[in-house]
Amino acid sequence: MRVLFVEDNEALAAATARSLTAAGFAVDVAHTLEDGWHAWRSTPCEAVVLDIMLEEDSGLDLLARARKQGLNTPVLVLTALSAVDDRVRGLNRGADDYLVKPFAIEELVARLRALARRPEALRGTTLELGQATYDTVAQTLSAHGRTRPLTRAESIVIERFFRAPDRVISKPQLGDALHSLESEYSENSLHILVYRVRRKLIDLKAGVVIHTVRGLGYVASAGEDEGEETGA
């Protein structure tokens, strides 16, 4: 599970990120409003932890901006304000949950895992791109009435691509997403994994093409099926 943590207290951000990483999360940290906005737009993640007092309460401005742009990532706001009105204001601006500072890391972990489960009930359990449908529960890929099972690793890659079409997914990002399956994914093992996913898409005539952006990573887009994969 990848988490974006937007917190201007660098010591708190570093300590919390270490704890979340130890709990099995992949964590991106942003210390400013603009860095948070850029990371939220450019990096797929399953949850955002947002300091409500970021830059004099602009954390809520960032939240409102994201919701207005259609970013529906679950958000947990952190606040030192315990008044009911302050918590309600955060929820009314689009937050999904809140946690009052100081907090126990075990509670943060539990709430993030609960948030990660919630979007499936809201968005459904299927993702679509091109002519393909990915079932996140059955971990199967379908197109034109045919279905192919996916390994756990293939499922992680497909879900990354289908949740962020036309956006570059870097090799380190894929490696982070896969780190719970292996201690480390080499560049060669990622290449083989993406090759297998490409072959299944081509076999299904799924109308999805995975392009290699040399030096950066991969981009999945709806498009004409290719007979052979391109790039490394």
Side-chain angles (χ1 to χ4, degrees):
M1 177 179 176
R2 193 173 198 91
V3 174
L4 171 62
F5 188 22
V6 186
E7 168 62 66
D8 57 1
N9 183 320
E10 295 188 15
L12 174 61
T16 305
R18 285 194 298 269
S19 296
L20 290 175
T21 300
F25 295 85
V27 185
D28 295 309
V29 176
H31 297 300
T32 68
L33 175 69
E34 285 307 312
D35 286 348
W37 174 241
H38 175 73
W40 198 341
R41 293 182 63 196
S42 62
T43 305
C45 60
E46 283 71 51
V48 176
V49 179
L50 177 62
D51 182 3
I52 202 172
M53 292 299 292
L54 181 70
E55 296 179 1
E56 298 182 356
D57 208 19
S58 63
L60 290 185
D61 295 334
L62 173 59
L63 177 56
R65 182 180 181 185
R67 295 305 191 225
K68 185 176 181 180
Q69 293 295 316
L71 297 175
N72 62 356
T73 312
V75 174
L76 183 150
V77 294
L78 296 177
T79 176
L81 305 173
S82 58
V84 173
D85 288 348
D86 293 316
R87 299 198 299 268
V88 170
R89 189 159 57 97
L91 295 171
N92 285 341
R93 295 288 288 273
D96 297 272
D97 200 358
Y98 70 89
L99 196 56
V100 177
K101 297 179 182 178
F103 56 87
I105 192 66
E106 294 83 1
E107 183 175 6
L108 176 60
V109 167
R111 288 176 179 268
L112 285 174
R113 286 174 176 161
L115 284 179
R117 294 191 296 268
R118 188 179 302 176
E120 300 304 337
L122 299 176
R123 293 195 300 257
T125 60
T126 60
L127 302 172
E128 296 181 353
L129 183 62
Q131 303 300 313
T133 299
Y134 167 59
D135 187 317
T136 63
V137 175
Q139 295 186 355
T140 57
L141 189 65
S142 303
H144 307 296
R146 296 188 298 152
T147 300
R148 295 289 182 271
L150 301 175
T151 67
R152 177 61 180 145
E154 291 168 350
S155 295
I156 290 172
V157 170
I158 282 288
E159 185 159 352
R160 278 286 176 209
F161 288 146
F162 277 41
R163 289 199 185 278
D166 303 313
R167 287 161 58 180
V168 175
I169 308 297
S170 71
K171 292 177 181 179
Q173 287 171 345
L174 285 177
D176 284 346
L178 292 158
H179 85 285
S180 62
L181 303 181
E182 291 187 12
S183 58
E184 184 176 353
Y185 261 75
S186 67
E187 185 167 335
N188 185 60
S189 61
L190 283 176
H191 168 67
I192 294 171
L193 182 56
V194 172
Y195 172 86
R196 296 204 316 255
V197 169
R198 279 173 166 152
R199 290 307 314 169
K200 289 190 176 182
L201 290 167
I202 291 170
D203 178 59
L204 288 169
K205 301 186 186 305
V208 177
V209 180
I210 300 175
H211 298 284
T212 298
V213 183
R214 294 193 181 277
L216 294 177
Y218 304 97
V219 175
S221 304
E224 295 296 324
D225 294 298
E226 297 178 296
E228 294 294 336
E229 303 82 14
T230 58

